[in-house]
Amino acid sequence: MAAVSHEKSSALGPYTETSAPSKNSALFSAPTPLANAYSRFSSWRTALGFPNPGTVESLQKEVKTTHLTNFIFDGARADLMKGLSMDPAFQVTHSFQLASQSVPPTYSFGALFANPKVILQGNVDHEGNVSGRFQQSWSASNTSKVQAQLGMQPGHTMIQLEHDYSGLDYTLNAKVINPSPLDGSGIYVGSYLQSVSKSLALGIETLYQRAALDQAEMTSSYLAKLTGSGGKWIATAQFQPIGVLQATYWHKLSEKVEAAADLQVIAAPMRRDAIATVGAKYDLRMSTFRAQLDSTGKVSALLEQRFAPSFAFTVAGEIDHFKNAAKVGVGVMIESTSLTPEDMGMVPPPGQPHF
């Protein structure tokens, strides 16, 4: 009997050891309900095919490149650039500006270094003011940015830290300006933009400002972006509950012509105002022409003519009919390089000797 029982135990022993998995192995091998739900949700979002809406900072990028707000100037301006390297890109710039009605005469020296993952840019003017920008792309979805400025005058020094995350159909951005770890003062900004369809994206941006321990303020903006078929037109809106609305519309009329409109409305208890701006951009073979008109009576235009790949001439003008004032600006941009055609990736023409 003892022998029989020993045989049974020896025969059943290996079976019982391999067929009864432990509780810990079952927990790790079987997917949890939460992981299943997340996997199904991710598959469903991917099947929808919603595009990435871009960042909140670039919400009105097309309108800004069409209008003259970031391009208009007066007086005389000269930009002399020299390329020292192509890969990675490295160039230096000398900039001069004279005879402006709003800006004193200035000279600045700048340098730029860029490769597919890192961008470094610095600038210093004749008064000793220094500014710099650093951008690091950790991956296709994560990008960190740092901007700093050291001014010779009080209140002109700042630092800004920023991080962007781009998901499949959404973007997240976090930004801090002049943060102080001692009292927590500074400006903190967070934004979220989500595509809810193939053409519509909705988002929110919240700003928290703390000047001192007992002084804090928080405001939020609600965002919307509507994109037409093929990206030929884009409409955006940004609304703040305090009574501020900004709406823009951009339309690509053809391969060379773009038009844009901007409306800003302020309906706060202490102020009521509205400004409407319309503009157009026309790209020619070797030049770009921009024109703009707003409801304050300002008419402005800018022509950038490139006579050669390394030389451009710019003429800008603005007339304020309500104030009976006018501004005119002229500028030149000259680019030079010490690189050979082979360094720039250019193939010499047939018959040209190689040195």
Side-chain angles (χ1 to χ4, degrees):
M1 295 296 293
V4 174
S5 62
H6 178 71
E7 290 179 359
K8 289 183 179 179
S9 62
S10 62
L12 296 175
Y15 175 78
T16 56
E17 289 178 0
T18 58
S19 62
S22 64
K23 293 182 179 180
N24 292 334
S25 62
L27 289 175
F28 287 103
S29 61
T32 63
L34 183 60
N36 272 334
Y38 179 77
S39 178
R40 288 196 298 267
F41 179 70
S42 299
S43 300
W44 174 70
R45 288 178 59 181
T46 304
L48 290 175
F50 292 168
N52 184 281
T55 61
V56 173
E57 185 179 5
S58 61
L59 189 68
Q60 304 165 355
K61 179 182 65 175
E62 292 79 8
V63 175
K64 292 178 180 180
T65 56
T66 302
H67 284 176
L68 288 171
T69 306
N70 298 330
F71 300 94
I72 194 69
F73 68 97
D74 65 322
R77 188 176 70 180
D79 296 314
L80 310 178
M81 294 181 290
K82 184 176 183 63
L84 304 176
S85 173
M86 289 290 292
D87 188 15
F90 182 58
Q91 70 175 26
V92 294
T93 306
H94 300 271
S95 298
F96 306 85
Q97 187 165 359
L98 303 170
S100 174
Q101 300 181 17
S102 55
V103 181
T106 59
Y107 162 77
S108 62
F109 172 79
L112 173 66
F113 171 86
N115 62 29
K117 289 186 175 295
V118 177
I119 297 178
L120 285 169
Q121 187 175 8
N123 189 78
V124 57
D125 63 14
H126 67 286
E127 294 182 348
N129 300 310
V130 181
S131 62
R133 183 171 70 96
F134 168 74
Q135 178 175 318
Q136 171 71 52
S137 297
W138 307 103
S139 64
S141 302
N142 290 279
T143 302
S144 298
K145 304 175 185 178
V146 179
Q147 296 186 39
Q149 179 177 327
L150 301 176
M152 303 302 294
Q153 300 179 2
H156 286 209
T157 299
M158 61 85 67
I159 184 171
Q160 175 178 305
L161 310 176
E162 185 177 358
H163 186 81
D164 289 327
Y165 178 78
S166 299
L168 181 66
D169 54 5
Y170 67 95
T171 56
L172 284 168
N173 174 269
K175 182 188 305 180
V176 293
I177 302 173
N178 291 337
S180 175
L182 300 178
D183 56 1
S185 62
I187 301 175
Y188 306 85
V189 184
S191 62
Y192 176 74
L193 193 60
Q194 170 72 57
S195 293
V196 296
S197 71
K198 293 186 178 181
S199 58
L200 178 63
L202 302 176
I204 184 173
E205 183 179 50
T206 300
L207 183 146
Y208 177 78
Q209 183 175 2
R210 186 173 184 177
L213 292 176
D214 56 346
Q215 297 180 1
E217 181 182 0
M218 185 172 66
T219 59
S220 296
S221 302
Y222 302 96
L223 315 169
K225 179 180 180 181
L226 184 64
T227 305
S229 176
K232 291 185 177 181
W233 60 268
I234 299 175
T236 68
Q238 184 172 0
F239 174 72
Q240 298 182 19
I242 60 176
V244 179
L245 171 67
Q246 183 178 10
T248 65
Y249 178 77
W250 171 85
H251 198 121
K252 190 176 184 65
L253 302 176
S254 67
E255 291 297 325
K256 297 182 178 181
V257 182
E258 301 175 8
D262 181 15
L263 175 64
Q264 300 182 25
V265 179
I266 301 177
M270 302 298 296
R271 181 186 176 187
R272 292 183 177 272
D273 194 6
I275 299 177
T277 305
V278 294
K281 184 181 75 168
Y282 187 40
D283 291 322
L284 300 169
R285 188 176 66 89
M286 294 288 288
S287 62
T288 300
F289 177 75
R290 291 179 173 90
Q292 180 175 299
L293 170 67
D294 62 29
S295 58
T296 63
K298 293 181 180 179
V299 180
S300 53
L302 184 143
L303 174 65
E304 180 180 345
Q305 177 68 51
R306 197 171 272 277
F307 296 98
S310 60
F311 178 74
F313 181 75
T314 306
V315 180
E318 179 183 273
I319 300 176
D320 192 334
H321 291 280
F322 292 170
K323 296 182 180 180
N324 195 22
K327 297 179 181 179
V328 177
V330 293
V332 294
M333 183 180 65
I334 301 175
E335 299 180 20
S336 64
T337 179
S338 58
L339 303 176
T340 63
E342 290 79 6
D343 294 334
M344 295 185 292
M346 300 173 59
V347 179
Q352 180 174 339
H354 295 266
F355 298 97

